Amino acid sequence: MENETKPQDFIREIIAKDVAKTKKKNGGRVITRFPPEPNGYLHIGHAKSICLNFGIAEEQKSVCHLRFDDTNPSKEEIEFADSIQEDVRWLGFDWGEHLYYASDYFDRLYDYALELIRKGKAYVCDLSPEEMREYRGTLTEPGRDSPFRDRTVEENIGQFERMTVGEFEDGERVLRAKIDMTSGNINLRDPVIYRIQHKAHHRTGDDWCIYPMYDFTHGISDSIEGITHSLCTLEFEDHRPLYDWFLDQLDMDCHPQQIEFSRLNISHTVLSKRVLRKLVEDEHVSGWDDPRMPTIVGMRRRGYTPLAIRNFCESVGIAKKSDSVVALAQLEHFVRDDLNRVAARVMAVMRPLKVVITNYPEGQVEELEAINNPEDESAGTRKLPFSKELYIDREDFMENPPKKFFRLTPGGEVRLRYAYFLRCDDVVKDDSGEVVELHCSYDPETRGGQAPDGRKVKATIHWLSAQHARRAEVREYNTLFTKEDPNDVSEGADFTENLNAESLVVLPKVFVEPSLAGAKIGARFQFEREGYYCVDLESTPEALVFNCTVPLRDTWAKVKKTVRKVAKKKVSKKSI
Ligand code: ATP
Ligand code: MG
């Protein structure tokens, strides 16, 4: 096997067998493709397919084609085709020179349609869409033959030509494959292969007013490109006999093998371009790149890394049957895992509370050394200014603390990260009784965080020098949907019913280290004790904006640990 470190799955097993010396199917070649329809932005579900197709090509030292399945002129836009290329590249994959468009094959597809007509395997049908539906039958009842099914080859060619030159209106004629109206598989009941659409196409302009259907186009495009393994999601399983039928009827050298795998679904998330498009159009989100969106552009803006997404896709695996739902926490686990290695640590105070150090010299500023990334020594250190007035987080102080509260309390002492011990002497309140300021004293002997007399504190909190801190807006995110399954709605309602009103929480007055003023858009940081954050694309040096990429707490790793523990217990019990 080529690559033993990659986890194996049933598709990689099939391919490994195909290229094995004894079989050498397709001369040992493996060519895959990722075939998006350019009618929306890519989402994390597509990432699974991208990782699979490009991943296999890499392992086989071969190529994966990027092909736009652009057969529907009414829904497609150049904006989408451009964004798809950018997203695939951002994920870390490369199609080299193998960028294709199904629309480039329109001439050849037309010839193949004529070939089917000549072979008596396709006919022009005048039934209206409603009549066609009626003739098609149901899952339990066979369909009936169209009255136009027995047209002669000449008549069909004539009719098809008239369709092509624009003699008919949309829907007046279609070209259908002549297969079997009684087939148990409805896809084989004389499916439409060409329809009339008087609409300009984003690449072929007004050249055509008839367009080939997806099922007809897809397999032929695969074959033209010499694809060996055509990997798609499970909903195409029932289309496979049709995929094979077209290639069997036509005189084509290459007959790719279609293999289906399970779709990715994620809890609290919708992975359907149609729904995502609606979220954008109805302004439930700010755009395709809203950081709450499960799109690649949204995740990129949110601060997710390509490696995190690829590791996640790998962890999900490729299953043969049934689409399962993966916990969102699993994706977040891989984001955290990667950011833990690469993100610089900084301090940010989310809910600022002013601290005045009464015994600290007025006007003095010290520079204290702070570590940039304990996971990566090469990241070095930086200087943090320390002065008489600080900000700490409101949540790190309690006037009347419960028993296990170890942070700052009246009379209590904590360690300021990289600085000194700090004791709270006085609490200043406003007229409404709200705490507005703390008067504290520091112990100059504790610089660096250790007391020479050996006394201990139970907590270390983060802080910022008030005069040096920079103000920022921070956007925290919750899931876009309140329910694990966003499609679980009451009768007559749609997914909007489950939209989470608190999916975006803006903290308008956060303070961050002064060094962050120069941070570039997209730069990622760990705000100590809070989580991972990145500079939003709306951020400017004058008005900083950060997105919360993911909080620090890893719920999935915990779940995994308990599952592992339980599993271990079971094993040990058995072995006794
Ligand atoms: P959607 O259902 O979101 O509109 P689609 O299947 O119509 O997606 P395409 O652009 O046609 O989107 O898909 C390109 C490729 O991505 C297809 O091979 C499809 O099977 C795959 N794909 C789409 N969604 C998922 C998913 N959730 N999990 C895995 N693969 C997916
Ligand atoms: Mg589709």
Side-chain angles (χ1 to χ4, degrees), residues 37 39 214 235-236 273:
E37 209 180 316
N39 60 352
Y214 178 86
E235 70 270 24
F236 291 103
K273 270 185 282 188

Side-chain angles (χ1 to χ4, degrees), residues 445-508:
E445 298 295 313
T446 55
R447 185 173 163 139
Q450 301 299 329
D453 64 5
R455 77 180 189 281
K456 299 270 185 250
V457 288
K458 284 220 167 95
T460 302
I461 66 170
H462 62 284
W463 53 274
L464 287 169
S465 162
Q467 73 180 98
H468 299 96
R470 295 291 304 255
R471 187 140 162 204
E473 174 183 312
V474 164
R475 299 172 185 170
E476 307 258 11
Y477 302 102
N478 294 306
T479 54
L480 195 47
F481 294 94
T482 50
K483 281 198 183 156
E484 223 173 270
D485 175 6
N487 292 314
D488 175 15
V489 292
S490 18
E491 222 181 291
D494 68 2
F495 65 90
T496 53
E497 181 185 51
N498 293 329
L499 278 170
N500 183 359
E502 278 148 38
S503 58
L504 168 64
V505 179
V506 177
L507 305 178

Side-chain angles (χ1 to χ4, degrees), residues 33-37 39 43 45-46 48-49 214 231-233 235-236 261-265 271-274:
R33 86 287 170 267
F34 174 64
E37 209 180 316
N39 60 352
H43 53 64
H46 294 113
K48 174 177 174 176
S49 177
Y214 178 86
L231 314 178
C232 60
T233 34
E235 70 270 24
F236 291 103
F261 63 94
S262 60
R263 275 181 95 82
L264 172 67
N265 295 300
L271 295 184
S272 142
K273 270 185 282 188
R274 187 185 56 78

